[in-house]
Amino acid sequence: MPNPTAAMLVIGDEILSGRTRDANLAHLAQEFTAAGIDLREARVVSDDEAAIVEAVNALRARYDVVVTSGGIGPTHDDITADSIARAFGVPIDVREDARALMEAHYAVTGREMNEARLRMARIPDGATLIVNAVSAAPGFTLENVHVMAGVPSVFRAMLAEVLPTLNGGKPLLSEQIRVEKAEGDIAGPLRQIAGEFADLSFGSYPFSENGVYGANIVIRGTDADRIGVAAARIADAIG
Amino acid sequence: MPNPTAAMLVIGDEILSGRTRDANLAHLAQEFTAAGIDLREARVVSDDEAAIVEAVNALRARYDVVVTSGGIGPTHDDITADSIARAFGVPIDVREDARALMEAHYAVTGREMNEARLRMARIPDGATLIVNAVSAAPGFTLENVHVMAGVPSVFRAMLAEVLPTLNGGKPLLSEQIRVEKAEGDIAGPLRQIAGEFADLSFGSYPFSENGVYGANIVIRGTDADRIGVAAARIADAIG
């Protein structure tokens, strides 16, 4: 059975203005690769309802799993939950179990529940909450869409909650071979070897360090033995 | 006149597998923000022709400017140029001026032109070359699509070539106000102020540092005076 497919949607003006550098895509990519879930696409859109709705609907129709990050805080620019409800065509309102989670947390931290914070208890109808140990406000899962916070520590905590609930596949394994030859000099034999191992994928990532030009050849696949055989072929032919 | 709109397409398995963390989106975002070009969307796809073609065609139809990064090297997994030609429905072949640029560079560096390197001189019909001072292989511009390398130093050099040819708009200015109050406590007044300044956008980015919770409020717009007035209002009401 092929591995499940996935996409990520990063939501936030701050990424597209260059103020903030996204850190969640790289983390999700590593976790999904280890879990055997093929991350096929990522999109970044601004805090704009129409843009979020369109992207979520495009991605959830196409991939088995969609993860969003960002836009679920208490301020006016946090419109993700409402946009997801709109995308699914379902109502959204304050949910008592989400409110209770937050009130219990605020009782400890001495904060007060107010109108702004209550917005974070707004959950689309039919969703399952994603609790997290870092902050009180939950994310949520609606069908195959998992809506998480943008703050990296909270995103990670939420992903750790969700990952065990997903059906993974075979972990994507990889082996890297460092070659201190220019990419243009190894491309010919590399292409030939890649053709011989159609069940594996071969990437070449050039580098230059202290005047040394080279490339890291990365072999990816789900069969460790085959990767080992291909790595030996590359070491023979190129290394 | 509204600012021109833009999108970025990042091409590469290595981003989606978590091996490499993209650095080019943040750089492009900062440069476009300064140039008055509104970066509205970014997508990341793998080294897959169908995925590249679909994304390029969706983005070029919708935005004034599209920038791609990645997949224009000499190895078998570098399929961006051919995919762009396919997206535009134009032929692609080795172009003599691109080949000449590369041969002149190789004459200095002592490398040889071979079949793999010659692939980097393949340019879709009708494109303009994007030369760069870092590496010999050029990028290219076809209509509103600018095809650049993924290696960050080369991407930056190519973007520096292209930026002066683009019609920018009013630079997007911003001012940041650090508030050492929890986001949930400032969200109410912030929403009200955001409503009073409909020509500006207000973002709130929470932080916690050494047990201090707070938020950076970022005001964005094209009119420095208005941003200053709004910043004073926020300092009065929240700061």
Side-chain angles (χ1 to χ4, degrees), chain B residues 11-239:
Chain B
I11 298 163
D13 291 350
E14 69 276 20
I15 310 293
L16 293 171
S17 73
R19 180 188 178 277
T20 304
R21 193 169 155 182
D22 168 69
N24 296 324
L25 171 58
H27 178 67
L28 182 76
Q30 288 165 358
E31 295 287 308
F32 273 10
T33 296
I37 300 170
D38 291 349
L39 186 62
R40 294 276 180 87
E41 181 175 349
R43 295 190 189 184
V44 186
V45 297
S46 62
D47 301 307
D48 174 82
E49 186 176 272
I52 298 169
V53 167
E54 186 191 331
V56 163
N57 281 339
L59 296 174
R60 72 189 179 97
R62 174 171 298 190
Y63 300 103
D64 297 322
V65 178
V66 177
V67 171
T68 79
S69 71
I72 62 169
T75 54
H76 66 284
D77 54 333
D78 292 307
I79 61 168
T80 296
D82 284 86
S83 301
I84 299 289
R86 175 72 60 94
F88 280 85
V90 299
I92 180 170
D93 206 345
V94 170
R95 214 168 90 174
E96 287 310 316
D97 54 353
R99 180 209 285 255
L101 275 174
M102 292 168 62
E103 283 177 340
H105 186 77
Y106 296 151
V108 175
T109 59
R111 289 186 183 158
E112 58 169 14
M113 178 64 88
N114 59 21
E115 193 184 342
R117 291 203 170 96
L118 199 56
R119 288 187 72 233
M120 295 194 285
R122 289 168 59 80
I123 305 289
D125 267 21
T128 307
L129 300 187
I130 305 173
V131 299
N132 79 93
V134 177
S135 70
F140 59 85
T141 294
L142 192 53
E143 297 182 14
N144 61 338
V145 179
H146 307 276
V147 176
M148 305 188 190
V151 175
S153 59
V154 184
F155 180 84
R156 284 168 177 251
M158 288 182 174
L159 183 61
E161 285 292 314
V162 166
L163 254 184
T165 71
L166 301 176
N167 291 315
K170 292 184 183 167
L172 190 64
L173 309 174
S174 66
E175 187 166 333
Q176 177 167 307
I177 300 152
R178 181 186 163 95
V179 181
E180 291 193 355
K181 293 177 183 171
E183 226 187 358
D185 289 322
I186 62 175
L190 180 61
R191 172 185 294 270
Q192 190 185 327
I193 295 169
E196 293 169 20
F197 293 84
D199 53 326
L200 305 176
S201 82
F202 297 74
S204 172
Y205 308 108
F207 64 79
S208 81
E209 288 169 12
N210 306 320
V212 175
Y213 285 82
N216 288 305
I217 311 295
V218 177
I219 312 171
R220 298 188 190 92
T222 55
D223 182 331
D225 291 343
R226 285 282 288 168
I227 291 175
V229 173
R233 276 279 285 133
I234 286 176
D236 270 0
I238 300 173

Side-chain angles (χ1 to χ4, degrees), chain A residues 39 71 81 156 165:
Chain A
L39 186 63
R156 284 168 177 252
T165 72

